[in-house]
Amino acid sequence: QKEVEQDPGPLSVPEGAIVSLNCTYSNSAFQYFMWYRQYSRKGPELLMYTYSSGNKEDGRFTAQVDKSSKYISLFIRDSQPSDSATYLCAMTDDYKLSFGAGTTVTVRA
Amino acid sequence: DVKVTQSSRYLVKRTGEKVFLECVQDMDHENMFWYRQDPGLGLRLIYFSYDVKMKEKGDIPEGYSVSREKKERFSLILESASTNQTSMYLCASSLQTSGANTGELFFGEGSRLTVL
């Protein structure tokens, strides 16, 4: 079993829809949780990070962490074609960083 | 603006060849990493370095070696390339030490290696 599980999709939504992405994990020592965005033929870039459980909002993006369920989510409101990318969750126990496989999202104009 | 530069975007090599992948960062970061990215498998850590001349094995170090002679430069070496090393290779750097790793990595654009 992988330490971090993420549905690879692909996910295709119309412009303006809410995109919902999630990851589950098995290591209860994970404390920091991140979402990276990777455009085609580019390296990943950090989109959001949260510490422990709770919500964090940044513009159209909301990250949620539920440590009791070992489940994290990323929501994209009012999605735009420019949001089309692969989204990777990542998490760390302060020593080792573990990535999900990534979910490919296409937002149709 | 932070920058991690990988010298080669696309390479095609033959089985058995020695391959060098170079990475340079201009942010004075202590930590540097090499990952490979494969469909369905995500990012897997090959090696990392937290200081000049220091290196640590990641999850999949077999078939690879690294060199860090200067703080800004981290090289990945495939001593004898094999077809199963065909992949996207990503270099990254970070400021934090391993004891306070919040995971804020800065990635290069990747080097796509094809081994025939």
Side-chain angles (χ1 to χ4, degrees), chain A residues 4-43:
Chain A
V4 180
E5 297 278 359
Q6 182 177 9
D7 187 340
L11 194 61
S12 179
V13 300
E15 184 175 355
I18 295 175
V19 176
S20 174
L21 304 168
N22 57 76
C23 291
T24 59
Y25 62 94
S26 57
N27 186 350
S28 58
F30 287 144
Q31 299 182 66
Y32 296 92
F33 303 89
M34 287 135 283
W35 288 94
Y36 282 80
R37 178 176 60 195
Q38 184 176 19
Y39 291 116
S40 180
R41 290 185 287 278
K42 298 286 187 181

Short mmCIF file of all heavy atoms in Angstrom, two decimals, chain A residues 4-43:
data_model
loop_
_atom_site.label_atom_id
_atom_site.label_comp_id
_atom_site.label_asym_id
_atom_site.label_seq_id
_atom_site.Cartn_x
_atom_site.Cartn_y
_atom_site.Cartn_z
N VAL A 4 0.77 7.51 0.33
CA VAL A 4 -0.16 8.56 -0.07
C VAL A 4 -0.89 8.09 -1.32
O VAL A 4 -0.27 7.73 -2.31
CB VAL A 4 0.59 9.89 -0.38
CG1 VAL A 4 -0.40 10.96 -0.79
CG2 VAL A 4 1.41 10.33 0.82
N GLU A 5 -2.22 8.10 -1.26
CA GLU A 5 -3.04 7.67 -2.38
C GLU A 5 -3.77 8.86 -2.98
O GLU A 5 -4.38 9.66 -2.25
CB GLU A 5 -4.07 6.63 -1.92
CG GLU A 5 -3.48 5.35 -1.37
CD GLU A 5 -3.07 4.37 -2.46
OE1 GLU A 5 -3.27 4.66 -3.66
OE2 GLU A 5 -2.55 3.29 -2.12
N GLN A 6 -3.69 8.95 -4.30
CA GLN A 6 -4.36 10.05 -5.00
C GLN A 6 -4.91 9.52 -6.31
O GLN A 6 -4.17 8.88 -7.08
CB GLN A 6 -3.39 11.21 -5.26
CG GLN A 6 -4.00 12.40 -5.93
CD GLN A 6 -3.03 13.57 -6.12
OE1 GLN A 6 -1.83 13.45 -5.90
NE2 GLN A 6 -3.56 14.71 -6.54
N ASP A 7 -6.16 9.75 -6.57
CA ASP A 7 -6.79 9.31 -7.81
C ASP A 7 -6.20 10.09 -8.97
O ASP A 7 -6.27 11.31 -8.99
CB ASP A 7 -8.31 9.53 -7.73
CG ASP A 7 -9.05 8.94 -8.92
OD1 ASP A 7 -8.41 8.69 -9.97
OD2 ASP A 7 -10.26 8.74 -8.80
N PRO A 8 -5.62 9.41 -9.96
CA PRO A 8 -4.96 10.13 -11.06
C PRO A 8 -5.90 10.80 -12.04
O PRO A 8 -5.47 11.61 -12.88
CB PRO A 8 -4.15 9.04 -11.75
CG PRO A 8 -4.90 7.78 -11.46
CD PRO A 8 -5.48 7.96 -10.08
N GLY A 9 -7.22 10.49 -11.94
CA GLY A 9 -8.18 11.06 -12.88
C GLY A 9 -8.05 10.38 -14.23
O GLY A 9 -7.85 9.17 -14.28
N PRO A 10 -8.15 11.09 -15.34
CA PRO A 10 -8.23 12.54 -15.42
C PRO A 10 -9.61 13.08 -15.07
O PRO A 10 -10.57 12.35 -15.11
CB PRO A 10 -7.88 12.82 -16.89
CG PRO A 10 -8.33 11.59 -17.61
CD PRO A 10 -8.12 10.45 -16.66
N LEU A 11 -9.63 14.36 -14.74
CA LEU A 11 -10.85 15.03 -14.36
C LEU A 11 -11.09 16.16 -15.37
O LEU A 11 -10.20 16.96 -15.61
CB LEU A 11 -10.66 15.62 -12.95
CG LEU A 11 -11.86 16.10 -12.16
CD1 LEU A 11 -12.83 14.95 -11.93
CD2 LEU A 11 -11.39 16.66 -10.83
N SER A 12 -12.28 16.19 -15.95
CA SER A 12 -12.61 17.22 -16.92
C SER A 12 -13.87 17.94 -16.46
O SER A 12 -14.89 17.28 -16.20
CB SER A 12 -12.83 16.61 -18.30
OG SER A 12 -13.17 17.59 -19.25
N VAL A 13 -13.80 19.26 -16.34
CA VAL A 13 -14.94 20.03 -15.85
C VAL A 13 -15.16 21.24 -16.75
O VAL A 13 -14.21 21.72 -17.40
CB VAL A 13 -14.72 20.50 -14.39
CG1 VAL A 13 -14.53 19.31 -13.46
CG2 VAL A 13 -13.54 21.47 -14.30
N PRO A 14 -16.38 21.77 -16.78
CA PRO A 14 -16.62 23.01 -17.56
C PRO A 14 -16.12 24.22 -16.78
O PRO A 14 -16.05 24.20 -15.54
CB PRO A 14 -18.14 23.03 -17.72
CG PRO A 14 -18.65 22.28 -16.53
CD PRO A 14 -17.62 21.22 -16.24
N GLU A 15 -15.79 25.25 -17.50
CA GLU A 15 -15.36 26.49 -16.86
C GLU A 15 -16.41 26.98 -15.87
O GLU A 15 -17.61 26.92 -16.15
CB GLU A 15 -15.14 27.56 -17.94
CG GLU A 15 -14.60 28.87 -17.44
CD GLU A 15 -14.29 29.84 -18.57
OE1 GLU A 15 -14.42 29.45 -19.75
OE2 GLU A 15 -13.90 30.99 -18.28
N GLY A 16 -15.94 27.42 -14.72
CA GLY A 16 -16.85 27.91 -13.68
C GLY A 16 -17.25 26.86 -12.66
O GLY A 16 -17.78 27.19 -11.60
N ALA A 17 -16.98 25.60 -12.94
CA ALA A 17 -17.34 24.53 -12.00
C ALA A 17 -16.38 24.52 -10.81
O ALA A 17 -15.31 25.11 -10.84
CB ALA A 17 -17.30 23.18 -12.71
N ILE A 18 -16.81 23.82 -9.76
CA ILE A 18 -15.94 23.60 -8.60
C ILE A 18 -15.17 22.30 -8.84
O ILE A 18 -15.75 21.26 -9.14
CB ILE A 18 -16.75 23.50 -7.30
CG1 ILE A 18 -17.43 24.84 -6.99
CG2 ILE A 18 -15.84 23.09 -6.13
CD1 ILE A 18 -18.36 24.79 -5.79
N VAL A 19 -13.86 22.39 -8.68
CA VAL A 19 -13.02 21.20 -8.80
C VAL A 19 -12.70 20.70 -7.40
O VAL A 19 -12.31 21.48 -6.52
CB VAL A 19 -11.71 21.52 -9.54
CG1 VAL A 19 -10.80 20.30 -9.58
CG2 VAL A 19 -12.00 22.02 -10.96
N SER A 20 -12.89 19.42 -7.19
CA SER A 20 -12.62 18.82 -5.89
C SER A 20 -11.57 17.72 -6.06
O SER A 20 -11.76 16.78 -6.82
CB SER A 20 -13.92 18.23 -5.33
OG SER A 20 -13.66 17.52 -4.14
N LEU A 21 -10.46 17.87 -5.35
CA LEU A 21 -9.36 16.91 -5.41
C LEU A 21 -9.08 16.41 -4.00
O LEU A 21 -9.25 17.15 -3.03
CB LEU A 21 -8.11 17.59 -5.97
CG LEU A 21 -8.27 18.26 -7.34
CD1 LEU A 21 -7.07 19.13 -7.64
CD2 LEU A 21 -8.47 17.23 -8.42
N ASN A 22 -8.64 15.17 -3.89
CA ASN A 22 -8.37 14.68 -2.55
C ASN A 22 -7.27 13.62 -2.54
O ASN A 22 -6.94 13.05 -3.57
CB ASN A 22 -9.64 14.12 -1.91
CG ASN A 22 -10.26 13.03 -2.77
OD1 ASN A 22 -9.76 11.90 -2.80
ND2 ASN A 22 -11.32 13.35 -3.47
N CYS A 23 -6.73 13.42 -1.35
CA CYS A 23 -5.71 12.41 -1.10
C CYS A 23 -5.98 11.76 0.24
O CYS A 23 -6.47 12.43 1.16
CB CYS A 23 -4.30 13.01 -1.09
SG CYS A 23 -3.73 13.59 -2.68
N THR A 24 -5.64 10.50 0.34
CA THR A 24 -5.66 9.82 1.63
C THR A 24 -4.24 9.37 1.95
O THR A 24 -3.41 9.21 1.05
CB THR A 24 -6.60 8.61 1.62
OG1 THR A 24 -6.16 7.70 0.60
CG2 THR A 24 -8.03 9.03 1.34
N TYR A 25 -3.97 9.18 3.22
CA TYR A 25 -2.63 8.78 3.61
C TYR A 25 -2.69 7.84 4.79
O TYR A 25 -3.71 7.71 5.47
CB TYR A 25 -1.77 10.01 3.93
CG TYR A 25 -2.26 10.85 5.09
CD1 TYR A 25 -1.78 10.65 6.38
CD2 TYR A 25 -3.21 11.86 4.90
CE1 TYR A 25 -2.21 11.42 7.43
CE2 TYR A 25 -3.65 12.64 5.95
CZ TYR A 25 -3.15 12.42 7.21
OH TYR A 25 -3.58 13.19 8.27
N SER A 26 -1.58 7.17 5.04
CA SER A 26 -1.58 6.16 6.09
C SER A 26 -0.67 6.52 7.27
O SER A 26 -0.83 5.97 8.36
CB SER A 26 -1.13 4.81 5.52
OG SER A 26 0.15 4.93 4.91
N ASN A 27 0.26 7.44 7.08
CA ASN A 27 1.23 7.78 8.12
C ASN A 27 0.68 8.86 9.05
O ASN A 27 0.58 10.03 8.66
CB ASN A 27 2.53 8.25 7.47
CG ASN A 27 3.64 8.49 8.48
OD1 ASN A 27 3.41 8.49 9.69
ND2 ASN A 27 4.84 8.71 7.98
N SER A 28 0.35 8.50 10.26
CA SER A 28 -0.25 9.46 11.19
C SER A 28 0.75 10.52 11.67
O SER A 28 0.38 11.49 12.32
CB SER A 28 -0.84 8.73 12.40
OG SER A 28 0.16 7.97 13.04
N ALA A 29 2.03 10.35 11.34
CA ALA A 29 3.05 11.33 11.74
C ALA A 29 3.09 12.55 10.82
O ALA A 29 3.75 13.54 11.13
CB ALA A 29 4.42 10.68 11.80
N PHE A 30 2.42 12.48 9.68
CA PHE A 30 2.42 13.63 8.78
C PHE A 30 1.80 14.84 9.47
O PHE A 30 0.74 14.74 10.09
CB PHE A 30 1.65 13.32 7.50
CG PHE A 30 2.35 12.38 6.56
CD1 PHE A 30 1.64 11.45 5.83
CD2 PHE A 30 3.72 12.44 6.39
CE1 PHE A 30 2.27 10.58 4.96
CE2 PHE A 30 4.37 11.58 5.52
CZ PHE A 30 3.65 10.64 4.81
N GLN A 31 2.48 15.99 9.35
CA GLN A 31 2.01 17.21 10.00
C GLN A 31 1.77 18.35 9.02
O GLN A 31 0.93 19.22 9.26
CB GLN A 31 3.04 17.69 11.01
CG GLN A 31 3.32 16.71 12.13
CD GLN A 31 4.33 17.31 13.10
OE1 GLN A 31 4.05 18.30 13.78
NE2 GLN A 31 5.53 16.74 13.13
N TYR A 32 2.60 18.41 7.98
CA TYR A 32 2.48 19.49 6.98
C TYR A 32 1.90 18.89 5.71
O TYR A 32 2.35 17.84 5.26
CB TYR A 32 3.85 20.11 6.68
CG TYR A 32 4.50 20.79 7.85
CD1 TYR A 32 5.36 20.10 8.69
CD2 TYR A 32 4.25 22.13 8.12
CE1 TYR A 32 5.96 20.73 9.76
CE2 TYR A 32 4.85 22.77 9.19
CZ TYR A 32 5.70 22.06 10.00
OH TYR A 32 6.30 22.70 11.07
N PHE A 33 0.95 19.62 5.13
CA PHE A 33 0.25 19.09 3.97
C PHE A 33 0.26 20.15 2.88
O PHE A 33 -0.02 21.33 3.14
CB PHE A 33 -1.20 18.72 4.34
CG PHE A 33 -1.26 17.72 5.45
CD1 PHE A 33 -1.29 18.13 6.78
CD2 PHE A 33 -1.27 16.36 5.16
CE1 PHE A 33 -1.33 17.21 7.81
CE2 PHE A 33 -1.32 15.43 6.19
CZ PHE A 33 -1.34 15.85 7.51
N MET A 34 0.59 19.73 1.68
CA MET A 34 0.78 20.66 0.59
C MET A 34 0.07 20.23 -0.67
O MET A 34 -0.21 19.05 -0.86
CB MET A 34 2.28 20.76 0.25
CG MET A 34 3.10 21.51 1.27
SD MET A 34 4.62 20.63 1.63
CE MET A 34 4.04 19.32 2.68
N TRP A 35 -0.20 21.19 -1.50
CA TRP A 35 -0.66 20.94 -2.86
C TRP A 35 0.28 21.66 -3.82
O TRP A 35 0.57 22.85 -3.66
CB TRP A 35 -2.09 21.44 -3.06
CG TRP A 35 -3.09 20.57 -2.36
CD1 TRP A 35 -3.61 20.74 -1.12
CD2 TRP A 35 -3.68 19.37 -2.88
NE1 TRP A 35 -4.48 19.73 -0.82
CE2 TRP A 35 -4.54 18.88 -1.88
CE3 TRP A 35 -3.56 18.67 -4.08
CZ2 TRP A 35 -5.30 17.71 -2.05
CZ3 TRP A 35 -4.31 17.51 -4.24
CH2 TRP A 35 -5.16 17.04 -3.24
N TYR A 36 0.78 20.88 -4.79
CA TYR A 36 1.61 21.44 -5.85
C TYR A 36 0.81 21.41 -7.15
O TYR A 36 0.03 20.50 -7.40
CB TYR A 36 2.90 20.63 -6.03
CG TYR A 36 3.95 20.90 -5.00
CD1 TYR A 36 3.90 20.32 -3.74
CD2 TYR A 36 5.02 21.75 -5.29
CE1 TYR A 36 4.88 20.57 -2.80
CE2 TYR A 36 6.00 22.01 -4.35
CZ TYR A 36 5.92 21.41 -3.11
OH TYR A 36 6.90 21.66 -2.17
N ARG A 37 1.05 22.39 -8.00
CA ARG A 37 0.43 22.44 -9.32
C ARG A 37 1.54 22.29 -10.35
O ARG A 37 2.59 22.92 -10.25
CB ARG A 37 -0.29 23.78 -9.51
CG ARG A 37 -0.93 23.97 -10.87
CD ARG A 37 -1.70 25.28 -10.90
NE ARG A 37 -0.83 26.43 -10.66
CZ ARG A 37 -1.29 27.64 -10.35
NH1 ARG A 37 -2.59 27.87 -10.25
NH2 ARG A 37 -0.44 28.63 -10.16
N GLN A 38 1.29 21.45 -11.35
CA GLN A 38 2.28 21.21 -12.38
C GLN A 38 1.64 21.38 -13.76
O GLN A 38 0.80 20.57 -14.16
CB GLN A 38 2.88 19.81 -12.25
CG GLN A 38 4.00 19.52 -13.23
CD GLN A 38 4.63 18.16 -13.01
OE1 GLN A 38 4.05 17.27 -12.39
NE2 GLN A 38 5.85 17.97 -13.50
N TYR A 39 2.05 22.42 -14.45
CA TYR A 39 1.60 22.60 -15.82
C TYR A 39 2.38 21.67 -16.74
O TYR A 39 3.50 21.23 -16.41
CB TYR A 39 1.78 24.06 -16.27
CG TYR A 39 0.85 25.03 -15.58
CD1 TYR A 39 1.34 26.04 -14.76
CD2 TYR A 39 -0.53 24.94 -15.76
CE1 TYR A 39 0.49 26.94 -14.14
CE2 TYR A 39 -1.39 25.83 -15.13
CZ TYR A 39 -0.87 26.83 -14.33
OH TYR A 39 -1.72 27.70 -13.70
N SER A 40 1.80 21.41 -17.90
CA SER A 40 2.42 20.49 -18.85
C SER A 40 3.84 20.94 -19.21
O SER A 40 4.08 22.12 -19.48
CB SER A 40 1.55 20.41 -20.11
OG SER A 40 2.11 19.54 -21.05
N ARG A 41 4.77 20.03 -19.14
CA ARG A 41 6.18 20.26 -19.49
C ARG A 41 6.85 21.28 -18.58
O ARG A 41 7.82 21.94 -18.97
CB ARG A 41 6.32 20.65 -20.96
CG ARG A 41 6.03 19.52 -21.92
CD ARG A 41 6.29 19.93 -23.37
NE ARG A 41 5.29 20.85 -23.87
CZ ARG A 41 4.11 20.47 -24.35
NH1 ARG A 41 3.79 19.20 -24.38
NH2 ARG A 41 3.25 21.37 -24.80
N LYS A 42 6.34 21.38 -17.36
CA LYS A 42 6.96 22.25 -16.35
C LYS A 42 7.17 21.47 -15.07
O LYS A 42 6.63 20.38 -14.89
CB LYS A 42 6.05 23.46 -16.06
CG LYS A 42 5.79 24.35 -17.24
CD LYS A 42 7.00 25.19 -17.58
CE LYS A 42 6.66 26.21 -18.65
NZ LYS A 42 7.84 27.04 -19.02
N GLY A 43 7.98 22.03 -14.17
CA GLY A 43 8.13 21.43 -12.86
C GLY A 43 6.98 21.83 -11.94
O GLY A 43 6.30 22.83 -12.17
#
